[in-house]
Amino acid sequence: MERWDTLELAFSGKTNGNPFTDYDIKGTFSCDEEVKTVEGFYDGDGTYKIRFMPSFEGKYSYRIFGSFSEKEYEGDFTVETPSENNHGTVRVKNKFHFAYDDGTPYYSIGTTCYVWHLKDGEMKKKTLSSLEKAGFNKIRFCVFPKHYCYNTDDPEYFPFEGTPMDAGLVTKENFFSFNPHSEGNNWDFERFNPEYFRNIEYCISELRRLGIEADIILFHPYDRWGFSVMDNETDIRYLKYVIARFSAYRNVWWSLANEYDYMPEKTVEHWDEIGNYIMANDPYGHLRSIHNGPNIYDHTKPWVTHCSIQRCDMYKTAECTDEYRQKYQKPVVLDEIVYEGNIKEGWGNIAADEMVRRFWEAVCRGGYPGHGETYMSDDDILWWSHGGILKGESHKRVQFLLDILKEIPCHGLRRNPVSDFTNWDCVCAVPENDEDALRTGYHLYYFGFMQPSYRDFNFGGDDEYSVEIIDTMDMTITYVGKFKGYFIIDLPAKKYIAIRIQKAI
Amino acid sequence: MERWDTLELAFSGKTNGNPFTDYDIKGTFSCDEEVKTVEGFYDGDGTYKIRFMPSFEGKYSYRIFGSFSEKEYEGDFTVETPSENNHGTVRVKNKFHFAYDDGTPYYSIGTTCYVWHLKDGEMKKKTLSSLEKAGFNKIRFCVFPKHYCYNTDDPEYFPFEGTPMDAGLVTKENFFSFNPHSEGNNWDFERFNPEYFRNIEYCISELRRLGIEADIILFHPYDRWGFSVMDNETDIRYLKYVIARFSAYRNVWWSLANEYDYMPEKTVEHWDEIGNYIMANDPYGHLRSIHNGPNIYDHTKPWVTHCSIQRCDMYKTAECTDEYRQKYQKPVVLDEIVYEGNIKEGWGNIAADEMVRRFWEAVCRGGYPGHGETYMSDDDILWWSHGGILKGESHKRVQFLLDILKEIPCHGLRRNPVSDFTNWDCVCAVPENDEDALRTGYHLYYFGFMQPSYRDFNFGGDDEYSVEIIDTMDMTITYVGKFKGYFIIDLPAKKYIAIRIQKAI
């Protein structure tokens, strides 16, 4: 196996009583650089599993033990150099940014398909293909099924043993009258349905194959089955199971909730309990955050690794990135800045160019935007919920923006702290760290809905600067030339133009 | 003469000494409903003038007196019913709105041509024609000439006797190094140049003929001649002269300053002194405000009749209209929300559609937007400074919006105070007063850059509502039908759409 891949070991074990709760299985994995003890899980049919993600190369040994069996198991294996597209787990780096374990910067532009994993195999393949083609490197999706507009069917299977309320009772007209405490749901919250989780693991591993982070939403309010109102003990049992199953996948992120503040039965104390539990029990320290409705969570909490933010204002979201950075002192991921689409709901009907504008605003202020798409469809297949085929225009501009981010001659941007003309009509991004800024002279000016026909610059000194004009919608980069001192650049006098200036080599 | 027109009486008087300061001329005008004493002014060549605007119809008598002459004069005249396009002076009405003296609502959509009055006669005619064609009903312009980019020439004449510094010294490169204290200016601030003011009066009266309000900027910082740094006594002498000359024109508004906060030598106390002086000495109580740079003036001051606001944020200006209304409790006129254009300066390069979006945002929140245009031109003739020909796209949408405002079945809109789905993706305007809102059922929804393909409404009750879809850019109004209770309206799923709903008659 290679470094940062998943080793899975399976063992037969006890089946009497409730194997999900009555027994445990643990594994200690050792190499020269690390010794890690991880929890396993019951996978049904008398099988217990342990998963492990090695953080180092070389020879590992392991010991498997626990009440699941009278026996213990030992063995060893060798971890090889990772292959080209395996960079490890994404972590916070350079305070406001992310990088993989191997140091490669990770510039996040994600999307959202809440329950794409619950669609059939063909649809899942379509979704994966769409993700790959657009270049998204993160996707947010829920563990639990979703009860919401454009999404009223029961899934094929459920996370717990038992039976759901009659889905036939749900219509477009009455679906808001169902609530998580609806009668007719009959679950054994102490017995998981391994098949349900195996499907999610298939999705996580397929995403990993494509280099896409799986931002897994652990709880959400769009529910008629009762999964959003389980008691605290059940929540923790569920987390323990999910951590045991998912955490050895290098591309996992933990999103505690979508719109946590629309779940009134969960207190902030309980969210913090959940966050702290994950922080203490996830052996790999995957990224952790929580997504808001109207009230942004207090992302200064120690368990929060980065901000996951939904817009709180009709006009400014991406534009608040620097404010959020200042306030929370962590990377800012804008996971919901309104979805491109045309549904009646106000969180799902911005125009494509406005979406792309928000991408650029976020990036030039040192944050990371998120995409979503909600175009009406006769078959009620909306990307944001189900995945499938992308129908919009903004996703076509994602790879282009990512390529520009990857070309930054340093790790991460921030808004230029030097107040200049940009305060009036554009945002100027410079390297996060002063020494990089000085060394590279890198400036990325973004003009959004402004349309100057020319701009003058005065960089002073004797250095030559190369200047390029970027059309962020048409996705062209036009080299203008090399300049020094005071110079004037003609611009196309249209919307959505950026200028990239950096020291000529 | 007709009501609200200007009566002008001319008298010979003393010429020894300085007639501008050594003598006064006053007139008392009386009819059954009013008795008003107004100040006159010296107009050069031994002529003193008195102007008066009658506020009532019927027979007036007058008496002219003062130190200008040993004689007094008396006479009478009859005031007729005003002609169709003469509605009197615009005043604050219904707290956040404006109406003419005769009660006709005035919905302000103005523009800015700072020194159009200093161009030649042909250009002035072009400007007037452009204003009329676009439908603007207000224009902001300065009394004093302007020293600023795209505007470095000396005017044909100056407001004071004397000579200016050598204009040949000004180049595009050095113009910022000139300041109001520049050497070479040689003015007698105690002697006005009547020709200069007569030209402005020609402009005011031409605007009046077209039904356009003249929002006269009394002071501004773009100056190399010293008119922005006169001492307080000179300022007041100038105000006295201007009030005597201009105030009998019904279409005059007083704007104390453009960007008052870029004139560091004038204190807030002095601005208040100026405002209070005008309030005390303008016999007709014309509207008074003051325009800001980065810091909005305290518009709660008693002398301020309405807010005149320049945007203070790159993204939100019109969107802050309801906030300004709440804060200042006065009509909100957004006199500068960035100009449509393509110059390098960030206050003059927004795209046309963004400008029109700001118009609609302002209107739907119960405020009044302002236009301006700054397209580059080989002859350096930019509308915002010189007038002339409009080159943009936003001005073409002004008359359409004004027509919609004139069709409101009440006086004035405000943002719907009932919080509903509109908080997420649109702004909903309703009549300012609850009784009008109830009576008419009028709702104007504006979606800006959102693009829903349908929307559902539930107006309850038995009333039928007529529904129209407005394309604010293409300027079409499409009647959809009459509906009651719960109903769904299909929309074109594009940007800049509004829906107008009101009780069917």
Side-chain angles (χ1 to χ4, degrees):
Chain A
M1 70 174 303
E2 63 185 60
R3 189 179 181 184
W4 302 311
D5 263 357
T6 308
L7 176 77
E8 179 178 294
L9 303 171
F11 306 91
S12 294
K14 296 175 189 169
T15 55
N16 54 328
N18 180 359
F20 290 103
T21 56
D22 293 349
Y23 311 109
D24 66 352
I25 174 170
K26 291 186 179 180
T28 298
F29 295 81
S30 313
C31 72
D32 287 348
E33 290 90 352
E34 69 171 342
V35 177
K36 213 166 233 169
T37 297
V38 304
E39 301 238 17
F41 58 93
Y42 183 63
D43 200 34
D45 297 326
T47 303
Y48 290 78
K49 285 182 174 167
I50 280 276
R51 289 180 180 148
F52 176 69
M53 177 176 80
S55 298
F56 297 91
E57 293 168 33
K59 195 167 175 182
Y60 272 83
S61 62
Y62 63 81
R63 185 173 71 89
I64 309 300
F65 57 98
S67 60
F68 77 104
S69 173
E70 303 308 322
K71 290 199 281 185
E72 291 194 3
Y73 299 87
E74 287 185 6
D76 50 47
F77 58 98
T78 302
V79 176
E80 311 283 348
T81 303
S83 53
E84 195 184 356
N85 294 321
N86 173 2
H87 302 287
T89 289
V90 171
R91 305 184 186 283
V92 173
K93 186 141 180 218
N94 207 9
K95 191 168 186 176
F96 294 109
H97 303 281
F98 301 103
Y100 296 97
D101 278 326
D102 72 356
T104 306
Y106 167 79
Y107 298 113
S108 177
I109 303 185
T111 187
T112 296
C113 305
Y114 284 122
V115 286
W116 72 284
H117 57 92
L118 297 175
K119 310 308 288 184
D120 66 29
E122 197 193 340
M123 262 290 277
K124 282 204 275 265
K125 282 199 170 64
K126 276 190 197 169
T127 304
L128 289 163
S129 164
S130 297
L131 290 169
E132 186 178 18
K133 201 171 155 201
F136 292 116
N137 57 23
K138 179 167 89 72
I139 179 173
R140 301 193 310 136
F141 62 100
C142 303
V143 173
F144 291 124
K146 190 178 176 200
H147 168 82
Y148 205 61
C149 49
Y150 315 105
N151 201 120
T152 51
D153 293 344
D154 268 347
E156 194 184 330
Y157 28 49
F158 284 92
F160 298 100
E161 286 184 19
T163 53
M165 63 172 290
D166 179 4
L169 297 174
V170 181
T171 64
K172 277 193 184 178
E173 284 65 40
N174 75 2
F175 86 82
F176 273 126
S177 60
F178 289 95
N179 74 44
H181 297 286
S182 294
E183 276 182 42
N185 288 308
N186 182 24
W187 305 114
D188 182 348
F189 286 120
E190 299 199 354
R191 289 177 187 268
F192 297 98
N193 176 5
E195 184 62 17
Y196 189 88
F197 293 91
R198 277 197 287 271
N199 174 58
I200 296 177
E201 286 149 15
Y202 162 77
C203 293
I204 296 171
S205 63
E206 282 295 288
L207 293 169
R208 182 177 62 182
R209 184 174 59 80
L210 299 175
I212 301 168
E213 301 298 298
D215 197 354
I216 295 173
I217 299 166
L218 295 165
F219 298 96
H220 66 258
Y222 330 110
D223 179 30
R224 67 171 180 265
W225 305 281
F227 307 138
S228 64
V229 290
M230 304 183 302
D231 62 31
N232 291 3
E233 190 187 339
T234 305
D235 282 353
I236 297 296
R237 191 187 312 118
Y238 154 71
L239 291 171
K240 179 179 155 77
Y241 194 69
V242 160
I243 291 169
R245 296 199 70 114
F246 297 167
S247 65
Y249 293 85
R250 66 175 174 268
N251 59 325
V252 162
W253 298 25
W254 305 117
S255 176
L256 268 59
N258 210 64
E259 296 188 325
Y260 80 93
D261 42 348
Y262 285 136
M263 302 172 78
E265 305 194 26
K266 291 212 189 314
T267 62
V268 167
E269 290 68 33
H270 185 47
W271 289 120
D272 285 340
E273 181 190 359
I274 291 171
N276 285 315
Y277 179 87
I278 297 171
M279 183 164 67
N281 289 280
D282 165 10
Y284 310 102
H286 291 288
L287 293 166
R288 295 172 300 270
S289 193
I290 183 166
H291 167 278
N292 60 284
N295 308 295
I296 295 174
Y297 204 83
D298 177 4
H299 292 308
T300 62
K301 296 276 174 75
W303 66 261
V304 176
T305 54
H306 64 285
C307 308
S308 169
I309 288 176
Q310 177 173 196
R311 62 103 183 231
C312 296
D313 180 276
M314 245 176 79
Y315 307 92
K316 288 174 78 167
T317 301
E319 294 74 15
C320 300
T321 301
D322 19 354
E323 179 189 313
Y324 298 141
R325 282 171 43 122
Q326 183 62 27
K327 182 167 182 182
Y328 300 114
Q329 294 288 312
K330 291 177 184 176
V332 173
V333 182
L334 300 164
D335 277 312
E336 202 176 337
I337 50 177
V338 186
Y339 303 133
E340 181 191 344
N342 63 4
I343 57 174
K344 79 178 171 82
E345 287 78 11
W347 42 261
N349 57 27
I350 58 166
D353 58 348
E354 174 65 15
M355 180 69 139
V356 176
R357 194 188 68 74
R358 293 175 187 206
F359 288 174
W360 277 78
E361 280 285 344
V363 156
C364 290
R365 292 165 188 272
Y368 297 99
H371 164 274
E373 196 183 273
T374 44
Y375 278 104
M376 291 292 291
S377 184
D378 289 341
D379 58 8
D380 267 5
I381 301 294
L382 280 70
W383 171 263
W384 131 95
S385 201
H386 309 289
I389 304 297
L390 283 158
K391 297 165 187 166
E393 289 295 321
S394 65
H395 71 89
K396 298 175 186 169
R397 277 82 184 169
V398 166
Q399 189 60 58
F400 181 75
L401 175 51
L402 278 171
D403 289 344
I404 283 170
L405 286 170
K406 286 175 189 163
E407 289 167 17
I408 304 171
C410 60
H411 183 202
L413 298 176
R414 64 169 164 169
R415 190 181 190 187
N416 193 352
V418 179
S419 175
D420 59 6
F421 68 83
T422 61
N423 290 338
W424 281 85
D425 67 349
C426 76
V427 54
C428 173
V430 293
E432 182 70 65
N433 303 318
D434 289 341
E435 57 271 35
D436 292 328
L438 264 172
R439 175 178 56 79
T440 65
Y442 182 94
H443 292 76
L444 183 62
Y445 299 90
Y446 176 63
F447 289 91
F449 44 65
M450 315 303 271
Q451 50 177 22
S453 58
Y454 73 107
R455 200 74 173 204
D456 52 354
F457 298 89
N458 196 343
F459 279 75
D462 284 332
D463 288 317
E464 269 201 325
Y465 289 83
S466 100
V467 177
E468 292 157 301
I469 296 172
I470 300 171
D471 186 322
T472 67
M473 286 302 286
D474 289 353
M475 294 183 282
T476 58
I477 302 177
T478 308
Y479 175 70
V480 183
K482 290 180 184 169
F483 301 87
K484 64 167 135 179
Y486 175 85
F487 55 91
I488 293 173
I489 302 298
D490 285 327
L491 296 171
K494 56 191 279 205
K495 296 201 284 187
Y496 311 130
I497 297 299
I499 307 176
R500 183 165 61 179
I501 300 183
Q502 52 196 318
K503 281 188 189 170
I505 300 160
Chain B
M1 75 174 299
E2 62 184 60
R3 188 177 182 185
W4 301 311
D5 262 358
T6 309
L7 175 79
E8 181 178 293
L9 303 171
F11 306 91
S12 292
K14 298 176 186 165
T15 55
N16 56 325
N18 181 358
F20 290 103
T21 55
D22 293 350
Y23 311 108
D24 65 355
I25 174 170
K26 290 185 180 178
T28 299
F29 295 81
S30 313
C31 71
D32 288 348
E33 289 90 352
E34 69 171 340
V35 177
K36 213 165 233 170
T37 297
V38 305
E39 303 235 17
F41 58 93
Y42 183 63
D43 199 33
D45 298 325
T47 302
Y48 290 78
K49 284 182 177 169
I50 281 276
R51 287 178 182 152
F52 177 68
M53 176 177 77
S55 297
F56 297 91
E57 293 169 31
K59 196 166 174 182
Y60 272 83
S61 61
Y62 63 80
R63 186 172 71 90
I64 308 300
F65 57 98
S67 59
F68 78 103
S69 172
E70 304 306 325
K71 287 198 283 184
E72 291 195 2
Y73 299 85
E74 286 186 6
D76 50 47
F77 58 97
T78 302
V79 177
E80 312 284 346
T81 304
S83 54
E84 197 184 0
N85 293 322
N86 173 2
H87 302 287
T89 290
V90 171
R91 305 184 186 284
V92 172
K93 187 142 180 217
N94 206 8
K95 192 167 185 175
F96 295 109
H97 304 282
F98 302 104
Y100 295 97
D101 277 327
D102 73 355
T104 306
Y106 167 80
Y107 297 113
S108 176
I109 304 184
T111 187
T112 296
C113 305
Y114 284 122
V115 286
W116 73 283
H117 58 91
L118 297 175
K119 309 310 288 185
D120 66 27
E122 196 192 342
M123 260 292 272
K124 281 205 273 267
K125 282 199 172 60
K126 274 190 199 169
T127 305
L128 290 163
S129 164
S130 297
L131 290 170
E132 187 179 17
K133 201 170 155 203
F136 291 117
N137 56 22
K138 180 166 88 75
I139 179 173
R140 301 193 312 134
F141 63 99
C142 304
V143 173
F144 292 123
K146 190 178 176 200
H147 169 81
Y148 205 62
C149 49
Y150 314 106
N151 201 119
T152 51
D153 292 346
D154 267 347
E156 193 185 329
Y157 28 50
F158 284 92
F160 300 100
E161 284 184 20
T163 51
M165 63 172 288
D166 180 5
L169 297 174
V170 181
T171 64
K172 277 190 184 179
E173 283 65 39
N174 74 3
F175 86 83
F176 274 126
S177 60
F178 289 94
N179 73 44
H181 299 284
S182 293
E183 279 181 41
N185 288 308
N186 182 26
W187 305 114
D188 182 348
F189 286 120
E190 299 199 354
R191 289 177 187 268
F192 298 98
N193 177 6
E195 185 63 17
Y196 190 86
F197 293 92
R198 277 196 287 271
N199 174 58
I200 296 178
E201 286 148 15
Y202 163 77
C203 293
I204 296 172
S205 63
E206 282 295 287
L207 294 169
R208 182 177 61 181
R209 184 174 60 79
L210 300 175
I212 300 168
E213 302 297 300
D215 197 354
I216 295 173
I217 298 165
L218 295 164
F219 298 97
H220 66 255
Y222 331 111
D223 179 30
R224 67 172 179 266
W225 305 280
F227 307 137
S228 64
V229 291
M230 304 182 303
D231 63 31
N232 291 4
E233 192 187 339
T234 304
D235 283 352
I236 297 295
R237 191 186 312 115
Y238 154 72
L239 292 172
K240 181 178 153 77
Y241 193 70
V242 159
I243 290 169
R245 296 198 69 115
F246 298 166
S247 65
Y249 292 85
R250 65 174 175 270
N251 59 323
V252 162
W253 298 25
W254 305 117
S255 176
L256 268 60
N258 210 65
E259 296 186 327
Y260 81 92
D261 42 348
Y262 285 135
M263 300 172 78
E265 305 194 28
K266 291 211 189 314
T267 62
V268 167
E269 289 69 31
H270 186 48
W271 289 120
D272 285 341
E273 182 191 0
I274 291 171
N276 285 316
Y277 180 86
I278 298 171
M279 183 164 66
N281 291 281
D282 167 9
Y284 310 102
H286 290 288
L287 293 167
R288 297 172 299 270
S289 194
I290 183 166
H291 166 277
N292 59 285
N295 307 297
I296 296 176
Y297 205 82
D298 177 3
H299 292 306
T300 64
K301 296 277 173 73
W303 66 262
V304 177
T305 55
H306 64 283
C307 309
S308 169
I309 288 176
Q310 178 173 196
R311 63 101 184 235
C312 297
D313 181 276
M314 244 176 79
Y315 306 93
K316 286 173 81 168
T317 302
E319 295 74 15
C320 301
T321 302
D322 20 351
E323 181 189 312
Y324 298 140
R325 283 173 41 123
Q326 182 64 29
K327 184 166 182 185
Y328 300 114
Q329 295 289 311
K330 290 176 185 176
V332 173
V333 182
L334 300 164
D335 277 312
E336 202 175 336
I337 50 179
V338 187
Y339 303 134
E340 180 191 344
N342 63 5
I343 56 174
K344 80 177 171 77
E345 287 77 9
W347 43 261
N349 58 26
I350 58 165
D353 58 347
E354 176 65 13
M355 181 68 138
V356 177
R357 193 188 69 73
R358 292 175 188 206
F359 287 175
W360 278 78
E361 280 285 347
V363 156
C364 290
R365 292 165 188 271
Y368 297 99
H371 164 272
E373 197 183 270
T374 45
Y375 278 103
M376 292 292 290
S377 181
D378 289 341
D379 57 8
D380 266 5
I381 301 293
L382 281 69
W383 172 263
W384 130 94
S385 202
H386 309 290
I389 303 297
L390 284 157
K391 297 166 186 163
E393 288 295 319
S394 64
H395 71 90
K396 298 176 186 168
R397 275 84 183 167
V398 166
Q399 189 60 60
F400 180 75
L401 175 52
L402 278 172
D403 289 343
I404 284 170
L405 286 170
K406 286 176 188 164
E407 288 167 16
I408 303 171
C410 60
H411 183 202
L413 297 175
R414 63 170 165 169
R415 189 181 192 188
N416 193 354
V418 180
S419 174
D420 60 5
F421 68 83
T422 60
N423 291 338
W424 281 85
D425 67 350
C426 76
V427 54
C428 173
V430 293
E432 182 69 65
N433 303 319
D434 289 341
E435 57 269 36
D436 291 328
L438 264 171
R439 176 176 57 79
T440 64
Y442 183 95
H443 291 77
L444 183 63
Y445 299 90
Y446 177 62
F447 289 91
F449 44 63
M450 315 302 273
Q451 52 178 21
S453 58
Y454 73 107
R455 199 73 171 208
D456 52 355
F457 298 89
N458 196 344
F459 279 75
D462 284 332
D463 289 317
E464 268 200 327
Y465 289 83
S466 100
V467 176
E468 293 157 300
I469 296 172
I470 299 170
D471 186 320
T472 67
M473 287 302 285
D474 289 352
M475 294 183 282
T476 58
I477 302 178
T478 308
Y479 174 70
V480 184
K482 291 181 183 170
F483 301 86
K484 64 166 133 180
Y486 176 85
F487 54 92
I488 293 173
I489 303 297
D490 285 327
L491 297 170
K494 57 192 279 205
K495 294 201 285 189
Y496 311 130
I497 297 300
I499 308 176
R500 182 165 62 178
I501 301 183
Q502 53 196 320
K503 280 187 189 169
I505 300 161

